[in-house]
Amino acid sequence: MKRFEDLTEAETLALAIANEEEDSRIYATFAMRLRHDFPATAAIFDGMASEEDGHRRSLLSLYEKKFGRELPLITRQDVRGFLKRNPVWLAEELRIEQVRRQAALMELEAGEFYTRAAERARDTEVRRLLGDLALVERKHEAVAERLEQTHLTESARSGEDATARRLLVLQVVQPALAGLIDGSVSTLAPIFAAAFATQNTHETFLVGLAASVGAGISMGLTEAMSDDGAITGRGRPWIRGLACGLATAIGGLGHALPYLIPDFWTATSVAAAVVVVELIVIAWIRWRYMETPFTGALIQIVLGGLLVLLAGIFIGSG
């Protein structure tokens, strides 16, 4: 691996050409991957890819003029000092924030590279072009803003926000909500049955802990294996499984933890209060993200939870 200071002028230009080609292809890949769900943002990256390709052509013309048509093979991986890039463009799903952050790092790095290269150049024409490109890269954020003003209209931004919300609901909210409902409702019967059967808070807590953790593992695996998200657009299986499993365990632990309190009736009263809060939270999430009327969601979830709770108390008391 070579140091930047050891590069010849020809190698510096060849490296600049390779960098511009790589950046252009990355921006084009961003555009291709985002076009279906975020067409306006994809148009922004189309413009940025075109801008980088224009830089590449200018550098190639100057290289041919100064050094001929034989271009040495040198890339940023061959030179010390460049940041190692996280290939977010290869991820199954591209998050807009992650893409924009990557683009900002690329622009910053390119600006630093051209500034240093221009300072070392001895040929006036090479120095002029590298200096001009340094200024262009420094202003690349302004170019992106100009492209954004052109392509990302208010209606387009609103549409992309709606798409982002839909993806959030599909990939995170729905699996987590399913887990929270299962953990909060299905564990009521075994926990309160154990409570009224034994009237021992420690044993009840152990039953609740086992039921919550077991349900979390079961629901998480079921969700993760239900589909790979390739056709349904529901995202990475392990993210959905993790969201579902954690929400399930949390839902059950909410009314199991009060049984750490030694007094049985105090623990049971606190657990019952926690159950009420859990059911209200579930109803709110359904109203907020699933567009279910809050009153209807509250009645449905409270009625279901109450039936399960009574079943547990009845079984435990018998």
Side-chain angles (χ1 to χ4, degrees):
M1 184 176 287
K2 300 188 71 169
R3 296 188 308 161
F4 182 76
E5 293 75 15
D6 296 333
L7 297 179
T8 65
E9 208 153 75
E11 288 174 332
T12 300
L13 278 179
L15 177 60
I17 292 166
N19 286 347
E20 292 293 351
E21 183 174 4
E22 181 178 332
D23 287 357
S24 177
R25 292 177 68 181
I26 290 172
Y27 287 140
T29 302
F30 283 156
M32 177 185 67
R33 298 287 304 281
L34 294 170
R35 203 175 311 281
H36 181 266
D37 292 322
F38 304 98
T41 298
I44 292 173
F45 283 110
D46 280 331
M48 294 178 72
S50 177
E51 189 92 8
E52 301 296 347
D53 194 52
H55 298 170
R56 181 186 63 84
R57 289 195 298 270
S58 299
L59 288 162
L60 270 173
S61 297
L62 181 59
Y63 184 91
E64 288 183 2
K65 180 180 177 181
K66 297 293 181 181
F67 304 106
R69 301 179 66 86
E70 294 294 328
L71 189 68
L73 178 60
I74 183 169
T75 66
R76 60 198 307 281
Q77 288 81 12
D78 304 320
V79 181
R80 288 194 184 96
F82 284 93
L83 293 173
K84 183 178 181 181
R85 285 177 174 169
N86 181 25
V88 297
W89 52 91
L90 297 179
E92 290 183 27
E93 300 97 27
L94 287 181
R95 300 203 329 258
I96 291 295
E97 300 80 8
Q98 191 179 28
V99 168
R100 288 175 179 160
R101 191 162 53 243
Q102 178 69 43
L105 285 173
M106 289 166 61
E107 292 162 13
L108 177 63
E109 188 178 55
E112 290 292 332
F113 166 72
Y114 283 122
T115 299
R116 291 177 61 194
E119 291 171 352
R120 295 183 61 252
R122 294 293 173 260
D123 184 286
T124 55
E125 201 169 356
V126 173
R127 188 184 186 96
R128 184 185 304 113
L129 177 58
L130 293 176
D132 289 345
L133 288 175
L135 291 174
V136 169
E137 294 294 346
R138 295 291 186 191
K139 296 176 182 178
H140 215 167
E141 187 173 350
V143 172
E145 289 176 0
R146 187 176 73 244
L147 291 168
E148 184 168 333
Q149 291 169 2
T150 303
H151 298 287
L152 205 56
T153 62
E154 192 63 35
S155 60
R157 190 187 299 275
S158 176
E160 292 195 356
D161 289 344
T163 300
R165 176 186 171 88
R166 179 178 61 82
L167 293 175
L168 175 67
V169 171
L170 276 175
Q171 297 172 5
V172 179
V173 176
Q174 278 187 352
L177 180 60
L180 190 60
I181 292 174
D182 185 84
S184 298
V185 177
S186 68
T187 58
L188 286 175
I191 291 176
F192 281 92
F196 281 86
T198 65
Q199 296 203 5
N200 184 301
T201 57
H202 179 68
E203 291 182 6
T204 301
F205 170 73
L206 293 180
V207 170
L209 180 63
S212 302
V213 173
I217 294 172
S218 175
M219 286 290 290
L221 289 175
T222 300
E223 177 61 41
M225 294 187 296
S226 61
D227 71 76
D228 61 6
I231 297 176
T232 61
R234 296 179 66 219
R236 297 180 182 177
W238 68 267
I239 292 181
R240 298 195 327 269
L242 187 63
C244 184
L246 285 176
T248 303
I250 290 171
L253 288 172
H255 43 267
L257 289 175
Y259 283 98
L260 290 172
I261 300 172
D263 182 73
F264 172 75
W265 288 110
T266 301
T268 301
S269 300
V270 173
V274 170
V275 169
V276 172
V277 173
E278 289 173 346
L279 298 180
I280 292 174
V281 168
I282 291 171
W284 181 85
I285 293 174
R286 293 186 65 196
W287 166 76
R288 177 72 175 79
Y289 291 99
M290 312 303 291
E291 300 181 359
T292 304
F294 183 76
T295 303
L298 188 62
I299 292 174
Q300 292 170 6
I301 197 67
V302 168
L303 180 60
L306 183 61
L307 289 174
V308 176
L309 175 64
L310 292 176
I313 293 174
F314 176 76
I315 294 170
S317 299

